[in-house]
Amino acid sequence: MQFTVHAAKTNLSKLIDAALAGEEVVIAKGRKPVVKLVAISQGKFQIGILEGQLEGPSPDFFEPLDEDDLTAWEGGR
């Protein structure tokens, strides 16, 4: 849906709700579209989301690698 700048000012809350609902909201100067109102993803980052679901010991990233692993990481065989 397309709105003029004046209509967008008057109905901004409704246009934001429409964008959040996934509708395409375009704002135009006169008849020329100039801006698209897009919702920002609200995904939440959570550390430890798989805690207790993985088998085996978890790696200790602060411990040095053994020689075979270090050689593999450095491109050796």
Side-chain angles (χ1 to χ4, degrees):
M1 61 178 105
Q2 183 168 306
F3 297 87
T4 64
V5 172
H6 178 72
K9 286 182 190 179
T10 304
N11 298 296
L12 184 58
S13 292
K14 291 178 185 176
L15 297 180
I16 290 171
D17 289 339
L20 289 172
E23 295 182 42
E24 183 176 283
V25 178
V26 176
I27 300 173
K29 283 189 173 184
R31 294 182 185 206
K32 182 181 178 186
V34 291
V35 176
K36 185 188 301 185
L37 191 60
V38 179
I40 295 174
S41 175
Q42 299 297 316
K44 295 180 182 178
F45 179 77
Q46 182 179 356
I47 294 177
I49 195 166
L50 295 177
E51 185 175 355
Q53 297 180 26
L54 301 176
E55 293 182 21
S58 56
D60 185 350
F61 294 107
F62 297 106
E63 289 295 317
L65 294 173
D66 65 34
E67 286 301 316
D68 292 336
D69 288 337
L70 181 59
T71 302
W73 274 102
E74 292 176 341
R77 295 196 184 260

